[in-house]
Coordinates of all heavy atoms in Angstrom, one line a residue:
K355 N 44.9 -19.0 -6.3 CA 46.1 -18.5 -7.0 C 45.9 -17.1 -7.5 O 44.8 -16.7 -7.9 CB 46.4 -19.4 -8.2 CG 46.8 -20.9 -7.9 CD 47.0 -21.7 -9.1 CE 47.3 -23.1 -8.7 NZ 47.3 -24.0 -9.9
F356 N 46.9 -16.3 -7.4 CA 46.9 -14.9 -7.8 C 46.4 -14.7 -9.2 O 45.5 -13.9 -9.5 CB 48.2 -14.2 -7.6 CG 48.2 -12.8 -8.0 CD1 47.7 -11.8 -7.2 CD2 48.7 -12.4 -9.3 CE1 47.7 -10.5 -7.6 CE2 48.7 -11.0 -9.6 CZ 48.2 -10.1 -8.8
A357 N 46.9 -15.5 -10.2 CA 46.5 -15.3 -11.6 C 45.0 -15.7 -11.7 O 44.3 -15.0 -12.5 CB 47.4 -16.3 -12.5
D358 N 44.5 -16.7 -11.0 CA 43.1 -17.1 -11.1 C 42.2 -16.0 -10.5 O 41.1 -15.7 -11.0 CB 42.9 -18.4 -10.4 CG 43.5 -19.6 -11.1 OD1 43.8 -19.5 -12.3 OD2 43.7 -20.6 -10.4
R359 N 42.7 -15.3 -9.4 CA 42.0 -14.2 -8.8 C 41.9 -13.0 -9.8 O 40.8 -12.4 -9.9 CB 42.6 -13.7 -7.5 CG 42.3 -14.7 -6.3 CD 42.6 -14.0 -5.0 NE 43.8 -13.3 -4.8 CZ 45.0 -13.9 -4.4 NH1 45.0 -15.2 -4.2 NH2 46.0 -13.2 -4.3
M360 N 43.0 -12.8 -10.5 CA 42.9 -11.7 -11.4 C 42.0 -12.0 -12.6 O 41.3 -11.1 -13.1 CB 44.4 -11.4 -12.0 CG 45.3 -10.8 -10.9 SD 44.7 -9.3 -10.1 CE 44.0 -9.9 -8.6
S361 N 42.0 -13.2 -13.1 CA 41.1 -13.6 -14.1 C 39.6 -13.5 -13.7 O 38.8 -13.0 -14.4 CB 41.4 -15.1 -14.5 OG 40.5 -15.6 -15.5
Q362 N 39.4 -13.8 -12.4 CA 38.0 -13.7 -11.9 C 37.6 -12.2 -11.8 O 36.5 -11.9 -12.2 CB 38.1 -14.3 -10.5 CG 36.7 -14.6 -9.9 CD 36.8 -15.3 -8.5 OE1 37.8 -15.0 -7.7 NE2 35.9 -16.1 -8.2
K363 N 38.5 -11.4 -11.4 CA 38.2 -9.9 -11.3 C 38.0 -9.4 -12.8 O 37.1 -8.6 -13.0 CB 39.4 -9.2 -10.7 CG 39.4 -9.1 -9.2 CD 40.4 -8.2 -8.7 CE 40.4 -8.1 -7.2 NZ 39.3 -7.5 -6.6
L364 N 38.8 -9.8 -13.7 CA 38.7 -9.3 -15.1 C 37.3 -9.7 -15.6 O 36.6 -8.9 -16.2 CB 39.8 -9.8 -15.9 CG 39.7 -9.4 -17.4 CD1 39.8 -7.9 -17.6 CD2 40.8 -10.1 -18.2
F365 N 36.9 -10.9 -15.4 CA 35.6 -11.4 -15.8 C 34.5 -10.5 -15.2 O 33.6 -10.1 -15.9 CB 35.4 -12.8 -15.4 CG 33.9 -13.3 -15.7 CD1 33.6 -13.6 -17.0 CD2 33.0 -13.4 -14.8 CE1 32.3 -14.0 -17.4 CE2 31.7 -13.8 -15.0 CZ 31.4 -14.1 -16.3
T366 N 34.6 -10.2 -13.9 CA 33.6 -9.4 -13.2 C 33.5 -8.0 -13.8 O 32.5 -7.4 -14.1 CB 33.9 -9.3 -11.7 OG1 33.8 -10.6 -11.2 CG2 32.9 -8.4 -11.0
Y367 N 34.7 -7.4 -14.1 CA 34.8 -6.1 -14.7 C 34.1 -6.1 -16.1 O 33.4 -5.1 -16.5 CB 36.2 -5.6 -14.8 CG 36.8 -5.2 -13.4 CD1 38.2 -5.5 -13.1 CD2 36.0 -4.7 -12.4 CE1 38.7 -5.2 -11.9 CE2 36.6 -4.5 -11.1 CZ 37.9 -4.7 -10.9 OH 38.4 -4.4 -9.7
K368 N 34.4 -7.1 -16.9 CA 33.9 -7.2 -18.2 C 32.3 -7.3 -18.2 O 31.6 -6.6 -18.9 CB 34.4 -8.4 -19.0 CG 35.8 -8.3 -19.4 CD 36.4 -9.5 -20.1 CE 35.6 -10.6 -20.6 NZ 36.3 -11.7 -21.2
V369 N 31.8 -8.1 -17.3 CA 30.3 -8.2 -17.2 C 29.7 -6.9 -16.7 O 28.7 -6.5 -17.3 CB 29.9 -9.4 -16.3 CG1 28.5 -9.4 -16.0 CG2 30.4 -10.7 -17.0
G370 N 30.4 -6.3 -15.7 CA 29.9 -5.1 -15.2 C 29.9 -4.0 -16.2 O 28.9 -3.2 -16.4
A371 N 31.0 -3.9 -17.0 CA 31.0 -2.9 -18.0 C 30.0 -3.1 -19.1 O 29.3 -2.2 -19.6 CB 32.4 -2.9 -18.7
A372 N 29.7 -4.4 -19.5 CA 28.7 -4.7 -20.5 C 27.3 -4.3 -20.0 O 26.4 -3.9 -20.8 CB 28.8 -6.1 -20.8
I373 N 27.1 -4.5 -18.7 CA 25.8 -4.2 -18.1 C 25.6 -2.7 -18.0 O 24.5 -2.1 -18.4 CB 25.6 -4.8 -16.7 CG1 25.5 -6.3 -16.8 CG2 24.4 -4.2 -15.9 CD1 25.6 -7.0 -15.5
L374 N 26.6 -1.9 -17.6 CA 26.5 -0.5 -17.4 C 26.5 0.2 -18.7 O 25.8 1.3 -18.9 CB 27.7 0.0 -16.5 CG 27.6 -0.4 -15.1 CD1 28.9 0.0 -14.4 CD2 26.4 0.1 -14.4
S375 N 27.2 -0.3 -19.7 CA 27.2 0.4 -21.0 C 27.3 -0.6 -22.1 O 28.3 -0.8 -22.7 CB 28.4 1.3 -21.1 OG 28.4 2.1 -22.3
P376 N 26.1 -1.2 -22.4 CA 26.1 -2.3 -23.4 C 26.6 -1.8 -24.8 O 27.1 -2.6 -25.6 CB 24.7 -2.8 -23.4 CG 23.9 -1.8 -22.7 CD 24.8 -1.0 -21.8
T377 N 26.3 -0.6 -25.1 CA 26.7 0.0 -26.5 C 28.2 -0.1 -26.6 O 28.7 -0.5 -27.7 CB 26.2 1.4 -26.7 OG1 24.8 1.4 -26.5 CG2 26.5 1.9 -28.1
L378 N 28.9 0.4 -25.6 CA 30.4 0.4 -25.6 C 31.0 -0.9 -25.4 O 32.0 -1.3 -26.0 CB 30.9 1.4 -24.6 CG 30.7 2.9 -24.9 CD1 31.2 3.8 -23.8 CD2 31.4 3.3 -26.2
F379 N 30.5 -1.7 -24.4 CA 31.2 -2.9 -23.9 C 30.5 -4.2 -24.1 O 30.9 -5.2 -23.7 CB 31.5 -2.7 -22.4 CG 32.3 -1.5 -22.1 CD1 31.8 -0.4 -21.5 CD2 33.7 -1.5 -22.4 CE1 32.6 0.7 -21.2 CE2 34.5 -0.4 -22.1 CZ 33.9 0.7 -21.5
G380 N 29.3 -4.2 -24.9 CA 28.6 -5.4 -25.1 C 29.3 -6.5 -25.8 O 29.0 -7.6 -25.6
G381 N 30.3 -6.1 -26.6 CA 31.1 -7.1 -27.3 C 32.0 -7.9 -26.4 O 32.7 -8.8 -26.9
L382 N 32.2 -7.5 -25.1 CA 33.1 -8.2 -24.2 C 32.4 -9.5 -23.7 O 33.1 -10.3 -23.2 CB 33.4 -7.3 -23.0 CG 34.2 -6.0 -23.3 CD1 34.4 -5.3 -22.0 CD2 35.6 -6.4 -23.9

Side-chain angles (χ1 to χ4, degrees):
K355 296 179 184 172
F356 179 78
D358 292 339
R359 283 198 311 273
M360 291 303 102
S361 176
Q362 195 176 34
K363 276 189 181 290
L364 179 61
F365 174 78
T366 299
Y367 292 144
K368 284 175 22 178
V369 171
I373 290 169
L374 292 173
S375 183
T377 305
L378 288 175
F379 301 107
L382 296 176

